[in-house]
Amino acid sequence: MPVIPQRRIGRDGPLTGVLSLGSWHTYDRMDFREAVNLVRTAVDSGITLFDVGVYGFPGATAVYTDVLFSAMVRAAGLRREDYLLSAKLWLEGYPEHGLRDQLDNALFRAGVEHADLVVLGDLRREDTDLHQLVLDLNELREAGLIGQWGVNNWSAGTIGALHDFAAAENVPGPAIAQLKYSVARRSIPDGAPFKKVFGELGVTLQSSDIFEGGVLLGKNSGARQVGRDPGDIRERIAASAPELAKIASGLGATPAQLCLAFTLTHPANTTTLFGATSTEQLKDNLGAVGLVERVGADELRELVAPHWADQDIVDPEGP
């Protein structure tokens, strides 16, 4: 099986595969032996970055995706240096509750001593002290608990502020921005504000929510959990699924390969995050790399352009 291309996280971070695996309640729904085979196949194919978050909270139904991941890695015979772990840090309780305890819990559940990357969850509080946040993250880095850090669906201006605070303190700033990016949701990553973030600040892109929870593939009847719907365009996105399937078929590809391949055409994209619940699905998705090489980035973007659903609807500055 061909090894996928590798790209660098941020300006000076480690190399990782152009595809990465997420764990949004996926491993909870898989046969354990199949999940182990999935992880082993991913690493052998050049997928080295695994997004493993703690998604449970007191009072909610317990989830064990991250705990299962630790067992999967051991069963697959992987060494810690064989893969990169990306953990989430949530800011709802910050700064009253510091980041260290949350991170310690995440690392404990994932069975590791450090995270190569941490991604900050949504910024919901306007009074968050971004300067102190940068310093707190640097403390985690100096303690050897994290390598790099990034943000999930933050505005371009706020990322710029983080970068400026880090530069003033002579400490590393944000390396990566995890953003919704798909054939339907393009306004933010393709917009002018983030062009500066990617170009001048050296932040790279991790594309996420690329299938819209399966909606773009015509596979979600409403039972599966889906992320937020900026611009209220999900119905329009769902309506585009049959046409996208036709485009994919005309290229000798699957709809999933087409959606994945599109994200790989963004010049700042380090890696595209997706979930898979079988080794067969993973292997199919790996075909997206060959699709880009075979069809070409410009041609792919032109073919799916009519299905850009959030154009002139969502502010390119970001949330």
Side-chain angles (χ1 to χ4, degrees), residues 9 31 69 99 102 116-117 125 170 194 196 206 209 211 224 231 236 246 248 251 265 277 289 293 302:
I9 299 174
D31 172 78
F69 177 78
L99 300 179
Q102 185 184 161
D116 302 280
L117 175 70
R125 293 176 52 173
N170 197 29
F194 269 91
K196 177 180 179 181
Q206 182 179 44
D209 204 11
F211 300 136
R224 283 176 54 191
R236 181 178 173 187
K246 290 180 184 178
L251 297 173
T265 66
T277 53
V289 175
E293 295 171 350
E302 185 176 341

Side-chain angles (χ1 to χ4, degrees), residues 106-136:
L107 298 180
F108 174 72
R109 288 172 61 99
V112 298
E113 295 183 350
H114 75 279
D116 302 280
L117 175 70
V118 292
V119 176
L120 303 175
D122 294 348
L123 183 65
R124 304 181 190 277
R125 293 176 52 173
E126 295 182 1
D127 62 345
T128 300
D129 187 338
L130 299 180
H131 192 173
Q132 186 60 49
L133 179 60
V134 166
L135 295 175
D136 289 347

Side-chain angles (χ1 to χ4, degrees), residues 221-274:
S221 61
R224 283 176 54 191
Q225 188 174 7
V226 186
R228 290 182 297 174
D229 180 16
D232 267 341
I233 57 172
R234 188 155 290 145
E235 286 188 13
R236 181 178 173 187
I237 291 174
S240 70
E243 185 59 32
L244 286 170
K246 290 180 184 178
I247 294 172
S249 178
L251 297 173
T254 65
Q257 288 172 344
L258 176 63
C259 291
L260 275 164
F262 167 78
T263 66
L264 301 182
T265 66
H266 194 293
N269 193 68
T270 286
T271 188
T272 294
L273 184 65
F274 68 94

Side-chain angles (χ1 to χ4, degrees), residues 156-221:
T158 309
I159 295 173
L162 291 170
H163 178 274
D164 291 346
F165 286 131
E169 295 287 349
N170 197 29
V171 300
I176 201 164
Q178 187 182 96
L179 301 174
K180 288 176 178 286
Y181 189 50
S182 68
V183 296
R185 298 190 188 273
R186 299 175 47 179
S187 292
I188 294 174
D190 282 352
F194 269 91
K195 186 175 182 180
K196 177 180 179 181
V197 169
F198 299 138
E200 296 180 19
L201 307 187
V203 175
T204 56
L205 170 66
Q206 182 179 44
S207 299
S208 68
D209 204 11
I210 62 167
F211 300 136
E212 193 79 11
V215 172
L216 273 168
L217 309 181
K219 291 184 177 180
N220 194 328
S221 61

